[in-house]
Amino acid sequence: VFLLMPQKDDLLFNRKRNKPYYAEFTDMMQKKMHVIDLTPYLINRKDLDDIYSDDNKYGGHYSDYGNKVVAGIVYNSLKDNGVI
């Protein structure tokens, strides 16, 4: 399983694009393993400030709340795809 966890600035940058700038990479990886890209789950959320701790200019680490959001996404993706 490959988990792509974008920083907040990645999400804000990708909001202006049709596809994430790393889509070619994740498409290639999907052929080799299960890929969970959090971008589509997070990109349009209104609570990004709550999801990230903002401890630096790039968005920092995920907050306690953000970790719970991410855990739910990862669990559901693994379950829905028969990994667990």
Side-chain angles (χ1 to χ4, degrees):
V1 175
F2 178 80
L3 176 62
L4 194 145
M5 301 174 71
Q7 291 188 314
K8 188 166 76 172
D9 70 329
D10 291 319
L11 295 172
L12 298 175
F13 179 78
N14 281 318
R15 280 182 177 173
K16 302 171 188 168
R17 303 173 56 89
N18 291 332
K19 291 172 73 170
Y21 62 86
Y22 45 78
E24 186 175 320
F25 172 74
T26 54
D27 290 345
M28 178 188 67
M29 294 302 294
Q30 187 67 42
K31 294 175 184 171
K32 300 182 182 298
M33 65 185 71
H34 180 66
V35 174
I36 303 170
D37 178 4
L38 297 178
T39 302
Y41 299 97
L42 301 177
I43 197 162
N44 292 315
R45 290 187 65 124
K46 306 256 188 259
D47 59 351
L48 282 183
D49 289 337
D50 296 328
I51 290 175
Y52 291 89
S53 65
D54 278 324
D55 59 3
N56 68 43
K57 68 180 183 173
Y58 302 110
H61 297 278
Y62 291 92
S63 65
D64 289 343
Y65 169 70
N67 285 325
K68 290 176 185 173
V69 170
V70 168
I73 294 167
V74 170
Y75 174 79
N76 288 331
S77 178
L78 294 174
K79 186 176 175 192
D80 293 346
N81 288 282
V83 178
I84 57 171

